[in-house]
Amino acid sequence: MDNVRAYNQMFNMTSFGARIDETINDGRSPYVFKVSGQIYHWIGSLCPQLGTRPRFLQLYIYDTDSEVENRMAHFGGGDSDRICEDLVRKLIHLLDSHNELVRLFWTARDKCNAVEIPTFKIRLFSVTGSKQHSLPTSDAIGAIVFDTGFHPDLKLVDAPGFTGGRYVVTVYCSIELDRMDYIRKKQKDIRKYYLSGLYDTISRGDQTGSDVGSRTILPASFTGGPRYMYSHYLDALPFPQLTASDRADIVARVFRFKVKEFVAFLKDGKPLGDFRGVMYTNEFQKRGLPHCHTLVWLHSSSSSPMSERIDDYISAELPDLRTHLAGYAVISTTMMHGPCGIPNLHAPCMEGPTCTQKFPKKYNDKTFFDADGRAHYRRRNTGVYNPCAGVHLDNSYVVPYNRLLCMTFQAHINVE
């Protein structure tokens, strides 16, 4: 079960097809998977090109004597400690015995293994008795050599002939267009269905509309239906392989709860002094992750701009490892800027040879205000540093913070 996705991918018959836009990823933010245009299923050729391994549908047709080895080759081969060879053999036997499409592929396999390969097309049909609800059909989707009366739902077209004894098949599939086409062509039946349900209700003498129509099984794609809600419940279950950037929706909900706790803590915990009021706005970075800008009003007893009072609430130094190990662990991982500058000219904050945030900062023995009224926080050269990417980040790289806030929320909270 830990490798169920690998086994599922191992027996896929098609791959994901789309025009993927990689220009949006510049290496400075979480990876974004951006698709331009339409998504489709891609099958490709029946046989692999010279020098390449078979994959997807090719594994059901080409070199089936080595099918186990060919399937496991994409996941580390026989040396893999994740994939069980015996289980792969059992899955192959299961599909060969019970999957109608795999049985149809045997015909293509036998033809490809013949001495003289004939010209042929493959047509895939929906399997009789399959557990599907309202499978859309269309003349634009249809494509194998026998016709057993099934309704086609996928068409393999374009038979250009053979090149070097290999046959090429191209796939075109547009599911959304087929759904709309299906609904448009079935309007007569749909209208008849609803009118017949209304007539049956009236003929029974029902006075309410609760019994109009008949029982309908809703697919998982029907928004708000029981199968739809169940699938979303499964999506909400935790998976150890996912990161925060994989589920921005969950991150946003958790962040909303944390912002409420943060505002309540400003009022009740008084990490900045006597609280009077607050205003905040949530923003989302270009990759979708949120952050909050907060403006806090304090009572006059806590709002004096004296440098000594600022040192009580704002720090720009790493805590001492010997006296405050827990504080050092939080601050060194959440409140450090960099490395940037000469050690890392490709950092997001860099514009040319300089840091836009003016790091590293100058050392100051005490907090003071410049002529413009801007505070320069105390940054003593205490010898405490945080090793990061081969660079010793000391107090000159610390982002100003409030220790109580950072220790409470274990997060990056810049206080100015």
Side-chain angles (χ1 to χ4, degrees):
M1 291 304 297
D2 292 338
N3 300 297
V4 64
R5 179 170 293 182
Y7 288 111
N8 182 58
Q9 293 175 342
M10 187 180 298
F11 290 91
N12 279 349
M13 298 179 184
T14 63
S15 64
F16 177 88
R19 186 165 66 87
I20 302 173
D21 183 5
E22 293 285 359
T23 59
I24 191 173
N25 295 298
D26 54 13
R28 298 181 177 181
S29 302
Y31 177 79
V32 172
F33 184 75
K34 181 179 179 181
V35 172
S36 299
Q38 199 171 52
I39 295 175
Y40 52 88
H41 297 282
W42 178 256
I43 291 181
S45 61
L46 290 182
C47 298
Q49 297 179 356
L50 291 175
T52 62
R53 292 183 177 273
R55 56 184 181 173
F56 297 111
L57 183 60
Q58 297 169 351
L59 292 166
Y60 292 93
I61 299 173
Y62 178 80
D63 190 18
T64 53
D65 293 337
S66 307
E67 185 174 355
V68 176
E69 293 79 5
N70 289 335
R71 291 191 182 278
M72 295 186 62
H74 295 283
F75 299 89
D79 297 331
S80 173
D81 56 355
R82 299 191 305 123
I83 305 301
C84 174
E85 182 176 341
D86 183 57
L87 181 55
V88 174
R89 293 185 184 277
K90 291 180 179 179
L91 290 173
I92 291 176
H93 176 71
L94 176 70
L95 291 173
D96 287 348
S97 302
H98 301 286
N99 189 287
E100 295 294 335
L101 288 178
V102 173
R103 291 185 177 184
L104 294 181
F105 297 151
W106 289 353
T107 301
R109 176 195 62 189
D110 295 339
K111 290 182 178 295
C112 288
N113 290 335
V115 178
E116 294 183 3
I117 303 178
T119 300
F120 66 94
K121 286 187 178 183
I122 292 186
R123 297 178 179 272
L124 300 182
F125 293 95
S126 55
V127 181
T128 302
S130 61
K131 302 296 188 294
Q132 296 174 330
H133 304 282
S134 303
L135 184 66
T137 61
S138 169
D139 293 338
I141 304 181
I144 233 175
V145 281
F146 353 105
D147 183 359
T148 55
F150 301 139
H151 295 290
D153 62 354
L154 183 65
K155 188 178 223 173
L156 308 186
V157 298
D158 186 9
F162 299 91
T163 303
R166 301 187 182 279
Y167 175 74
V168 179
V169 178
T170 308
V171 180
Y172 299 93
C173 179
S174 173
I175 295 179
E176 194 61 35
L177 291 177
D178 297 328
R179 287 179 177 175
M180 299 301 296
D181 191 51
Y182 172 81
I183 294 174
R184 179 179 61 82
K185 291 184 177 181
K186 296 294 182 179
Q187 282 296 296
K188 183 178 179 180
D189 294 337
I190 294 174
R191 292 172 184 267
K192 181 180 178 181
Y193 169 79
Y194 284 109
L195 289 176
S196 64
L198 180 61
Y199 175 78
D200 292 341
T201 301
I202 296 175
S203 65
R204 291 198 304 265
D206 293 339
Q207 301 299 317
T208 65
S210 60
D211 295 328
V212 174
S214 58
R215 184 182 297 273
T216 302
I217 299 176
L218 298 176
S221 58
F222 184 85
T223 304
R227 287 174 175 80
Y228 172 88
M229 300 303 295
Y230 180 68
S231 65
H232 279 261
Y233 162 73
L234 294 178
D235 291 340
L237 293 177
F239 292 94
Q241 298 88 353
L242 298 181
T243 63
S245 58
D246 294 324
R247 293 304 303 269
D249 55 335
I250 297 179
V251 170
R253 289 152 126 191
V254 174
F255 184 77
R256 174 60 178 160
F257 291 134
K258 288 191 174 183
V259 168
K260 289 184 177 180
E261 292 182 359
F262 171 71
V263 173
F265 186 76
L266 288 176
K267 178 180 179 181
D268 301 329
K270 299 181 179 180
L272 302 176
D274 293 330
F275 177 89
R276 186 178 180 186
V278 63
M279 181 178 69
Y280 66 89
T281 176
N282 292 338
E283 295 182 0
F284 290 80
Q285 296 169 338
K286 64 177 181 177
R287 301 309 193 197
L289 299 180
H291 60 275
C292 179
H293 294 277
T294 309
L295 181 61
V296 180
W297 281 268
L298 303 174
H299 283 290
S300 57
S301 59
S302 301
S303 61
S304 172
M306 295 174 57
S307 59
E308 294 80 4
R309 182 172 296 275
I310 290 179
D311 291 337
D312 293 338
Y313 298 112
I314 300 178
S315 176
E317 296 179 340
L318 281 165
D320 194 327
L321 271 168
R322 297 167 295 181
T323 59
H324 206 316
L325 179 60
Y328 175 87
V330 174
I331 302 305
S332 63
T333 55
T334 63
M335 300 306 300
M336 304 301 295
H337 180 88
C340 61
I342 295 178
N344 185 12
L345 294 175
H346 299 289
C349 62
M350 295 297 293
E351 283 188 2
T354 59
C355 171
T356 57
Q357 305 301 318
K358 296 181 174 57
F359 281 93
K361 304 288 187 180
K362 295 181 179 180
Y363 295 118
N364 299 315
D365 291 332
K366 62 179 182 179
T367 300
F368 67 93
F369 296 92
D370 59 20
D372 297 326
R374 183 179 296 275
H376 295 261
Y377 305 104
R378 182 175 60 188
R379 296 176 184 272
R380 294 166 295 184
N381 189 2
T382 59
V384 181
Y385 64 86
N386 173 39
C388 180
V391 180
H392 288 180
L393 301 180
D394 59 8
N395 291 341
S396 61
Y397 287 93
V398 175
V399 178
Y401 64 92
N402 176 275
R403 181 176 298 188
L404 182 57
L405 283 175
C406 287
M407 294 297 295
T408 301
F409 293 94
Q410 306 280 303
H412 175 89
I413 304 177
N414 175 213
V415 179
E416 302 276 359

